[in-house]
Amino acid sequence: MMKHWQLTVDTEGIAWLSLDTAGASMNKLSAEVLAEFSECLNRFDQHAPAGLIIQSAKSSGFIAGADIEEFRQLDSAEKARELIARGWDLFNRLAAVPYPTLALIRGICLGGGLELSLACRYRIAVDDSGTRMGLPEVLLGIVPGWGGMLRLPQVIGPQAALNMMLTGKTLDARRARRAGLVDLAVAPRVMKDSARGLLRSGKPPRQLTGLARLMNHSIARPIIAAMARKQVAKKASPKHYPAPYAIIDIWQKANGNALANPTLLDAIVGSSTTQNLVRVFFLQERLKSLGKESAFKAQHVHVVGAGVMGGDIAAWCALRGYTVTLQDQSTEQIAPALARAAKLFGKRLRDPLKERAARDRLIPDPTGAGVRHADVVIEAIYENLEAKHALLKVLEPQLKPNAILATNTSSLRIEDLRTALRDPSRFIGIHFFNPVAMMPLVEVIEAPGAQAQAIADGMAFVRSIDKLPLPVKSAPGFLVNAVLAPYMLTAMRAVDTGHPPSTIDAAMRAFGMPMGPVELADTVGLDIAVAAGRTLSGGVAPPQCLMQIVEAGHLGKKTGRGFYEWTNGKIAGRPAASAIPAGLAESLITPLVERAEALVRDGVVMDADLADAGIIFGTGFAPFLGGPLNWKSNRSAA
């Protein structure tokens, strides 16, 4: 009898070992789970099966990885080494057993789950929408220490393996098959027969050949490693993100054995980056959990407004499986949104049949016939109170009972919008960020008098489209725009005092931001920056440099000129940054931090952790710092 594993032996003598981690929605490789697996191998040492097939007993996926909660509880370098040795030794033992082994992978297979499967002789991936395979440890600031750095390069070649490990990218079943990560990608209905057949086939495990095999040779490794370091350096500083550089070093110099370099391993595990990235992981898990408080299930979404935001919201919902009707004044006005959607489907789905199905789900609806059938209706027209009032008055009488009526407004108060409604109790804000397909956060906004159930239903809907819901109270700018406005305006006032835009942006990129505040203002649109500043700055005069550029008709990226010159969506000839003055970055980020503190204090966002989560996933605030309020707290404690 085992707590986490279920073992059956069929009439052919094949052992089927199914993981069902007790008390968890997804399978995790905790110390207890691995200890039971070790006991299974002990049993098989005494009575070897004809073969071993490892699968999941959960519908949620194969194995999500190690138990990160255990990792967070490590309080010494010695315990960290013990944790890594636990998986490294056990999976090496699995790889050495004399009988054939196979991992039958359906659903999520990440981190330690993929490392376990790599230790098997064969791998089969089930070709359905939920199957994803990868080694995302780098996103937590750690390394794949249970054999991933050893075996993945041997299976798919070092260049492809390093790309997966250094980015945390995942592969679906078909792409995993093309890469050589799995032997077969099969339909669910034949997965068990396919597993049994491959296990009994006697085929040798897949081996690299030709150039890919030579790249794993010790002579070629320094060349491959140098290329990888060069690519990583374009996106991540070793000061801020040491883990990707450690992965390269451990593969090159220790054949993937993290235990061979305990000094490097201790530095990774004990770094503030690792602690903060693990913090960000749990912040993300908290946001995901917020959508579980409601049983609301939508099937049909209706979006009014086929501009960039409305059209892209509609496309994303169709991509995630919803029937979507998209309304605007004419079919011609909807057409550009459909064209953008087709590009999104092609990029994300990579399957002509799935792309066609997604296109079929996105229905142009100039007359608004879809409103009466929709479970969620999202208003996404231009930011004008009177126009939105007129639209809401038309929409309300057509709504189904218990349908959500939402606005995507970024600047108008929910309290002001809802005055047009007879019953505003199920009217909420569902605020997406641009670009919709890239930004993971969606603010779910509550005004006084809104049903608690409507907010819960809104968060459930946001999770159903694979976004992160952040509950906030109605207030100017909500959370994300409210903290960005003083940050960008402070940066432009620094331009007024003589700091070049390129130096300001360089200072904030060195701080860890993905983009500097002046470039961000250019990207958002300087006209929008002016409007947001007037709304959120409490009447303070806008920066002179901003008004001069806008009055000259230059609005940033969308017009080809703002603080920078833009060509084909990129800064043309970015000016070189001068020496960054000491303390510049801290002075620029301080207004953002102070505004976040005020929003927590005023109850706009529930607590500091949610504020940090919203600002990280809504603005790209440097994840290795764990959020702006966490950053300030750590500085104060230092």
Side-chain angles (χ1 to χ4, degrees):
M1 295 296 295
M2 291 183 288
K3 181 177 179 181
H4 303 286
W5 295 91
Q6 302 165 5
L7 175 62
T8 60
V9 180
D10 65 21
T11 56
E12 297 180 79
I14 297 173
W16 294 75
L17 191 58
S18 303
L19 178 58
D20 188 3
T21 304
S25 60
M26 301 189 73
N27 287 326
K28 300 176 184 178
L29 297 177
S30 65
E32 194 173 67
V33 168
L34 291 178
E36 285 190 0
F37 184 68
S38 179
E39 288 300 317
C40 290
L41 294 185
N42 290 342
R43 174 175 177 172
F44 298 149
D45 285 345
Q46 299 299 317
H47 304 282
L52 170 63
I53 296 175
I54 302 171
Q55 62 181 357
S56 170
K58 291 185 185 294
S59 60
S60 57
F62 182 66
I63 300 173
D67 188 340
I68 305 302
E69 187 63 50
E70 290 184 356
F71 187 87
R72 187 162 64 168
Q73 294 171 358
L74 297 176
D75 56 9
S76 70
E78 181 181 356
K79 288 184 179 179
R81 290 193 294 271
E82 289 175 358
L83 184 148
I84 291 180
R86 181 190 305 150
W88 171 262
D89 294 341
L90 183 59
F91 292 169
N92 282 342
R93 182 182 173 193
L94 173 63
V97 299
Y99 45 87
T101 55
L102 181 146
L104 180 55
I105 300 163
R106 185 176 190 182
I108 294 297
C109 176
L110 301 175
L114 183 56
E115 290 178 299
L116 184 151
S117 72
L118 286 166
C120 294
R121 183 180 300 181
Y122 308 114
R123 286 164 297 284
I124 290 179
V126 179
D127 186 12
D128 64 17
S129 59
T131 297
R132 306 294 301 181
M133 305 174 67
L135 293 174
E137 284 86 350
V138 72
L139 303 179
L140 296 176
I142 57 178
V143 300
W146 289 354
M149 293 182 290
L150 166 67
R151 296 188 179 90
L152 188 62
Q154 294 174 343
V155 171
I156 66 173
Q159 287 183 305
L162 286 171
N163 181 57
M164 284 185 67
M165 292 188 290
L166 297 176
T167 63
K169 290 180 179 178
T170 61
L171 301 178
D172 61 22
R174 295 187 185 186
R175 293 174 65 195
R177 174 66 184 89
R178 290 195 294 269
L181 181 54
V182 297
D183 299 275
L184 297 172
V186 303
R189 66 181 183 277
V190 298
M191 62 182 187
K192 292 196 173 182
D193 287 340
S194 299
R196 188 180 290 107
L198 180 58
L199 191 77
R200 301 302 301 268
S201 69
K203 292 181 179 179
R206 183 180 182 277
Q207 296 288 329
L208 289 174
T209 59
L211 183 60
R213 183 175 183 178
L214 291 175
M215 286 181 178
N216 259 329
H217 195 277
S218 59
I219 296 176
R221 288 191 181 203
I223 300 171
I224 303 299
M227 294 170 58
R229 288 189 192 94
K230 185 176 180 181
Q231 291 300 313
V232 170
K234 293 179 181 179
K235 294 187 176 182
S237 161
K239 175 184 176 182
H240 296 157
Y241 295 100
Y245 298 90
I247 290 172
I248 297 168
D249 283 346
I250 292 169
W251 168 74
Q252 177 192 350
K253 301 172 183 177
N255 197 29
N257 181 2
L259 297 170
N261 191 333
T263 302
L264 178 59
L265 182 60
D266 295 349
I268 291 292
V269 173
S271 72
S272 62
T273 290
T274 299
Q275 295 168 8
N276 286 330
L277 291 179
V278 170
R279 165 182 163 78
V280 172
F281 170 82
F282 283 101
L283 292 178
Q284 183 178 39
E285 291 300 298
R286 183 178 175 190
L287 293 181
K288 289 179 179 179
S289 72
L290 295 175
K292 297 179 180 179
E293 299 174 359
S294 166
F296 180 78
K297 301 290 184 184
Q299 294 181 320
H300 185 154
V301 178
H302 183 83
V303 180
V304 185
V308 171
M309 287 301 298
D312 289 359
I313 291 168
W316 183 262
C317 292
L319 177 71
R320 304 311 302 170
Y322 283 100
T323 296
V324 182
T325 42
L326 177 58
Q327 180 181 351
D328 214 308
Q329 295 178 0
S330 68
T331 303
E332 290 74 20
Q333 287 175 295
I334 299 172
L338 300 181
R340 292 196 310 276
K343 291 181 180 179
L344 173 68
F345 301 153
K347 181 179 180 180
R348 294 296 183 113
L349 298 175
R350 300 173 181 267
D351 181 317
L353 293 178
K354 293 179 180 178
E355 291 174 40
R356 179 176 177 178
R359 289 196 300 270
D360 289 345
R361 289 193 295 269
L362 181 54
I363 304 165
D365 183 15
T367 66
V371 177
R372 64 182 64 94
H373 305 292
D375 305 293
V376 179
V377 177
I378 302 174
E379 169 277 305
I381 66 172
Y382 60 101
E383 295 287 87
N384 178 277
L385 183 63
E386 290 74 22
K388 289 180 185 286
H389 274 173
L391 174 61
L392 293 172
K393 288 178 181 178
V394 172
L395 294 175
E396 184 180 26
Q398 303 179 66
L399 294 175
K400 291 167 52 175
N402 297 321
I404 293 173
L405 178 59
T407 176
N408 185 57
T409 185
S410 60
S411 61
L412 299 176
R413 298 195 327 149
I414 307 299
E415 295 92 324
D416 295 334
L417 290 170
R418 62 187 285 167
T419 59
L421 300 171
R422 291 196 188 96
D423 177 13
S425 63
R426 284 188 66 79
F427 179 61
I428 63 175
I430 298 182
H431 180 220
F432 291 79
F433 296 92
N434 191 27
V436 172
M438 299 295 294
M439 298 299 290
L441 189 79
V442 174
E443 291 173 318
V444 180
I445 303 135
E446 175 186 357
Q451 293 179 10
Q453 189 60 51
I455 298 299
D457 292 349
M459 290 193 289
F461 165 69
V462 169
R463 278 302 299 139
S464 75
I465 57 172
D466 200 27
K467 296 291 185 182
L468 301 174
L470 178 73
V472 295
K473 303 292 185 182
S474 180
F478 313 128
L479 171 68
V480 172
N481 287 342
V483 301
L484 279 179
Y487 169 59
M488 290 191 289
L489 291 173
T490 299
M492 287 182 277
R493 290 192 179 97
V495 175
D496 282 345
T497 61
H499 292 288
S502 57
T503 300
I504 291 169
D505 285 344
M508 295 317 300
R509 289 195 302 271
F511 179 82
M513 301 296 276
M515 180 185 294
V518 181
E519 182 180 349
L520 177 61
D522 257 8
T523 302
V524 170
L526 299 184
D527 52 337
I528 296 174
V530 170
R534 286 173 176 158
T535 302
L536 301 172
S537 65
V540 178
Q544 293 179 3
C545 61
L546 173 62
M547 295 310 300
Q548 289 171 356
I549 294 173
V550 171
E551 288 169 0
H554 306 308
L555 306 182
K557 182 178 180 179
K558 58 189 173 185
T559 62
R561 184 176 175 186
F563 285 93
Y564 297 103
E565 299 284 344
W566 293 82
T567 302
N568 297 324
K570 296 182 179 180
I571 294 176
R574 185 192 295 268
S578 56
I580 299 173
L584 177 60
E586 288 76 7
S587 69
L588 294 172
I589 205 66
T590 294
L592 182 152
V593 177
E594 291 178 345
R595 185 66 182 133
E597 289 177 320
L599 292 169
V600 174
R601 189 168 55 247
D602 295 342
V604 174
V605 63
M606 191 182 307
D607 55 48
D609 282 352
L610 281 183
D612 275 345
I615 295 168
I616 290 168
F617 293 110
T619 75
F621 185 92
F624 73 92
L625 295 175
L629 301 184
N630 182 72
W631 169 75
K632 181 178 179 180
S633 176
N634 288 339
R635 289 187 80 210
S636 300

